[in-house]
Amino acid sequence: MAFQKAVKGTILVGGGALASVLGLSQFAYYRRKQVNLAYVEAAECISEAVNKEPPSREAQLLTLQNVSEFDILVIGGGATGCGCALDAVTRGLKTALVERGDFSSGTSSRSTKLIHGGVRYLQKAIMKLDIEQYRMVKEALHERANLLEIAPHLSAPLPIMLPIYKWWQLPYYWVGIKLYDLVAGSNCLKSSYVLSKSRALEHFPMLQKDKLVGAIVYYDGQHNDARMNLAIALTAARYGAATANYMEVVSLLKKTDPHTGKERVSGARCKDVLTGQEFDVRAKCVINATGPFTDTVRKMDDKNATAICQPSAGVHIVMPGYYSPESMGLLDPATSDGRVIFFLPWQKMTIAGTTDTPTDVTHHPIPSEEDINFILNEVRNYLSCDVEVRRGDVLAAWSGIRPLVTDPKSADTQSISRNHVVDISESGLITIAGGKWTTYRSMAEDTINAAIKAHNLKAGPSRTVGLFLQGGRDWSPTLYIRLVQDYGLESEVAQHLAATYGDKAFEVAKMASVTGKRWPIVGVRLVSEFPYIEAEVKYGIKEYACTAVDMISRRTRLAFLNVQAAEEALPRIVELMGRELNWDDYKKKEELETARKFLYYEMGYKSRSEQLTDHSEISLLPSDIDRYKKRFHKFDADQKGFITIVDVQRVLESINVQMDENTLHEILNEVDLNKNGQVELNEFLQLMSAIQKGRVSGSRLAILMKTAEENLDRRVPIPVDRSCGGL
C-alpha cells in the first residue's frame, strides 16, 4: 500500500503540464522516470532474473523433462497464461508453462490493440447500477497505467475522438467521459476535452462534416499485442520459468491423495508438436489458462464438467494509414446494430473493428465477408463523402475468439460474467477464464493466490506491479537515435526496432546485414514498404519462433498489416529460417505452403481472391470497355486475345524500362484468374470493373498498363510498386 501511495503521489506532480509539452510516449517515459524511486521498493522484493537471456527452446524442453515436480504448471501461452507463469516464478515458485501453438497464437494476438478500462462498461455500470462492471472498469484502469509503465516501448497513450452529431449528446457523453477520468483517478493518462466542429475536423479531416456538432476526446492506451504477450513470456523465462511453445497437453495426470482418498490432478502428459515426442510434466498445481479452449481442458479433468465458455468472434480489418490521422483514433459508440466500433491508427496503418457474433471454437478462425462489409459500412457512416471507402483497401482481416464465460459456481449459469472467473475443480485443477487483455496481470495474481491457498504452496504476495517486461527497463524515446548513429540504420527502421524490442534493439542491430549502399549501411528490408529487416528473422528464432507463420504474424506483424506484403516476404523468411534451423528442401516447401494457407484463410487473403474471380461480373459502360480494350491491345500486339510476360517485357523495353522476370510473373499472377500463365481480355475487363466498384485496389498490372499507355511516346520510367496492396 505504501508503494502504491508513493507511485500515485509522484504521478500527480506536474503530470498535466508535462504531458502538454511532450509527446504522449515521451510523457509516459518521463512519468515513469518520476516513479523510479517508488519502484525500488517493489524491485527489492524480487531477486534478479536468473537468465540474462531466455534459454533456448531445447534447454527449456530438457528442464520440463528433468524436473521431478514443479510447483505450478500453466497450460496456455496467451497473455493470461504467460502472466500466471511470470507471477508464479517471481514469487519463488518452481514454474512451467506449455502452449499447444505459438505464444499469442490465439486470441491474444487478434485484439483491438487497446489497453483500456472500457468506456462502454462504465456506461452500463452507471445505467444499470452494476457494481461488478464498475469494479472491473476501475481495476482495468489501474492495470492500464501499470502496463504503460512496465512496457513503454510496446505501448503508449492514444487520444480517441467521439464525434457528436446531436446537441443533446454533447452533455450526455461529456459527463460519461469525465466520469471515466474520475474513476481512473491518479491513473488518468490525460484529461478529456471538448472540441468544436472546426477543431474536430482539423484533428480528424476525414470525418463526416454534415450535422457534426463537435467532438469529445479522451485517452486510452494502445499496444502491440502479440509482442506484448511475447515480452511477458520471455520475461518469465528469464526469471526461471520453463516455458515451451508447440507443446500440446494430451491428457492430465492424476494421483490419489493419501489423506482424502480422492484423485488429484498432478501434472500433464505433453507432446512436442514439432517432433512427436511425449513425456510427463508433474506439478503440485495445474492451471488451465487456455482461453476459448477452457472447456476442452476442463473435460480432460472431468468429462461431465459443465461448459462455461461462450465463444464470440470479433473481426477486425486493416486499411491504409491515410484513412485516419497518425495519432487520433475514433469511437463509434452506437453502430446500426448497437455494437461499438473503433477506428484506430496502428503501426502506420488503420485498424477498424470489432464485431461480436457467436461462433464455434476453432484453432483457425476465419473472417467472414459479411463481417468485413459490416465494418466497412459503419466506417462509411463516419467518414466524409470525399473519402471513398473501398472494399479493395482492406489490406488484412482476422477473426479472434473472445472467451466469454459463465461462473460455474453461480446460481444463474446462463449469466455471462464480464469479469474473469477463477474456478477450482474437485480434483484441484484451477481454471482462469474470461476477463480482458488489459487485466491479464491482475487475473494472473488472483489465479496464483488461489493456487497457493488451494494447494498449500509456500510463496509471498504478487510482485508483478512495476516489474519491467523484456526490453522495457532501459528504453527511452530517443533510443532509436543511437541505433541510427552507431549502426547506420535508416531512421524508420531504427524507430521500429526501438518500439518493438526496446533496449534489446541493439542485439537485433548487431545481427543486421550490410546493404552495400551508401545509406543505410546495414538493415536489409524484408519488403520495401515496411521497416522489418532480415536480422529480425534470426533474432526471432532466439525468441522461440519455430515456423514461418510465427515470423510473419507474431515476431513481425506483417500478416496483420498487409497480407500481400507478407506473402512477398515469405520465400526470403523461409530461406533465412531454413539456414538457421537446418531445414531441408521438403521442410521449406511445407513451411511456405502452411504460411500461404494461413494468409489465405485466417488473414483475409481468401476474401481478396473472392473479389476477383473468373465468374466476376463485368459492369462497365460501352465507352469504358472500348477504352480498356485499346489499352489491352497496346500490349497484345498480335491480337491473340491474351497477354503474357513476353508481351509486357516488349512494351517496357520499347520505353526503356527494365524489370526482372520474377516481378513480372508476380504482377500477372495477381490477375491471372484461371492460373494458365496469361491474362485474357475478359480477365482484364473483370479487373477494371472490380477496380471501378472499389472491390479491388492497388493492382500493379492495371497501374503499369495505364502508365505505359500514357508514356509510350515520352519514354519515362513506369512506377510499379504496390499501391496500398488492398485485398
Side-chain angles (χ1 to χ4, degrees), residues 201-381:
L201 292 171
E202 186 179 318
H203 284 281
F204 209 118
M206 311 85 174
L207 206 57
Q208 173 65 260
K209 304 174 186 177
D210 297 341
K211 299 182 181 178
L212 181 68
V213 172
I216 299 171
V217 176
Y218 74 99
Y219 289 78
D220 257 325
Q222 188 178 53
H223 70 152
N224 187 336
D225 53 1
R227 293 293 316 184
M228 185 73 80
N229 193 155
L230 186 61
I232 302 167
L234 293 171
T235 306
R238 285 182 58 237
Y239 275 89
T243 60
N245 54 353
Y246 294 100
M247 287 297 296
E248 180 181 7
V249 170
V250 178
S251 61
L252 296 178
L253 305 177
K254 291 189 177 182
K255 65 180 181 181
T256 303
D257 188 324
H259 301 292
T260 63
K262 294 182 179 180
E263 278 197 329
R264 304 285 288 177
V265 174
S266 59
R269 180 74 175 175
C270 297
K271 176 183 177 181
D272 188 334
V273 176
L274 303 179
T275 65
Q277 180 189 13
E278 291 189 15
F279 55 85
D280 293 341
V281 179
R282 298 195 175 275
K284 296 172 184 174
C285 171
V286 176
I287 294 174
N288 171 18
T290 53
F293 301 94
T294 293
D295 290 325
T296 302
V297 177
R298 292 179 76 246
K299 289 182 185 295
M300 284 185 186
D301 174 38
D302 177 5
K303 63 181 180 180
N304 297 317
T306 304
I308 63 171
C309 184
Q310 299 189 19
S312 174
V315 171
H316 294 83
I317 63 174
V318 168
M319 306 177 77
Y322 56 70
Y323 272 94
S324 66
E326 191 174 338
S327 58
M328 179 72 76
L330 184 74
L331 167 64
D332 177 357
T335 62
S336 56
D337 66 351
R339 290 182 279 194
V340 171
I341 289 286
F342 285 99
F343 194 61
L344 310 166
W346 184 68
Q347 302 284 305
K348 297 188 177 180
M349 294 294 178
T350 301
I351 183 173
T354 179
T355 59
D356 186 9
T357 52
T359 187
D360 294 327
V361 175
T362 172
H363 289 287
H364 307 288
I366 298 171
S368 71
E369 186 64 23
E370 181 183 356
D371 283 332
I372 291 171
N373 284 319
F374 167 79
I375 295 171
L376 287 173
N377 287 331
E378 294 302 324
V379 168
R380 288 187 184 102
N381 292 337

Side-chain angles (χ1 to χ4, degrees), residues 18-125:
L18 190 60
S20 64
V21 175
L22 300 169
L24 289 173
S25 60
Q26 287 92 336
F27 168 59
Y29 167 72
Y30 286 111
R31 189 179 72 171
R32 191 192 88 199
K33 282 295 185 184
Q34 287 181 314
V35 301
N36 269 355
L37 289 176
Y39 278 130
V40 169
E41 184 176 335
E44 286 175 349
C45 300
I46 308 168
S47 60
E48 287 295 318
V50 296
N51 303 303
K52 185 177 180 181
E53 296 296 332
S56 67
R57 182 174 183 272
E58 291 72 21
Q60 297 284 43
L61 292 179
L62 286 173
T63 302
L64 287 172
Q65 293 177 69
N66 294 330
V67 172
S68 58
E69 186 180 51
F70 289 93
D71 294 319
I72 298 280
L73 168 62
V74 181
I75 306 172
T80 304
C82 291
C84 287
L86 180 58
D87 190 283
V89 76
T90 52
R91 298 194 199 202
L93 294 169
K94 198 179 297 181
T95 305
L97 179 146
V98 292
E99 160 59 43
R100 178 187 181 277
D102 186 25
F103 301 115
S104 196
S105 58
T107 306
S108 295
S109 63
R110 305 175 190 227
S111 72
T112 313
K113 323 304 179 193
L114 285 177
I115 310 170
H116 63 135
V119 172
R120 67 185 186 276
Y121 294 139
L122 181 61
Q123 181 187 26
K124 291 177 182 177

Side-chain angles (χ1 to χ4, degrees), residues 165-183:
Y165 288 92
K166 295 178 182 178
W167 280 107
W168 67 265
Q169 290 179 334
L170 191 58
Y172 173 77
Y173 284 122
W174 181 83
V175 170
I177 295 298
K178 280 299 175 186
L179 283 173
Y180 192 62
D181 291 348
L182 186 63
V183 173

Side-chain angles (χ1 to χ4, degrees), residues 649-710:
Q649 282 178 326
R650 175 182 52 79
V651 173
L652 294 180
E653 287 173 2
S654 72
I655 55 176
N656 299 321
V657 173
Q658 299 296 321
M659 191 177 300
D660 68 87
E661 191 170 324
N662 287 335
T663 302
L664 285 175
H665 179 74
E666 288 176 5
I667 290 173
L668 262 68
N669 194 51
E670 291 174 2
V671 187
D672 180 12
L673 303 178
N674 53 18
K675 304 304 177 189
N676 61 356
Q678 57 196 32
V679 176
E680 285 91 2
L681 173 60
N682 198 58
E683 289 176 323
F684 179 66
L685 293 177
Q686 287 173 320
L687 168 66
M688 301 314 295
S689 179
I691 289 173
Q692 278 198 8
K693 290 181 177 180
R695 295 200 307 267
V696 171
S697 69
S699 167
R700 290 188 283 178
L701 180 64
I703 294 170
L704 184 149
M705 292 178 71
K706 179 183 177 183
T707 312
E709 183 182 48
E710 294 171 349

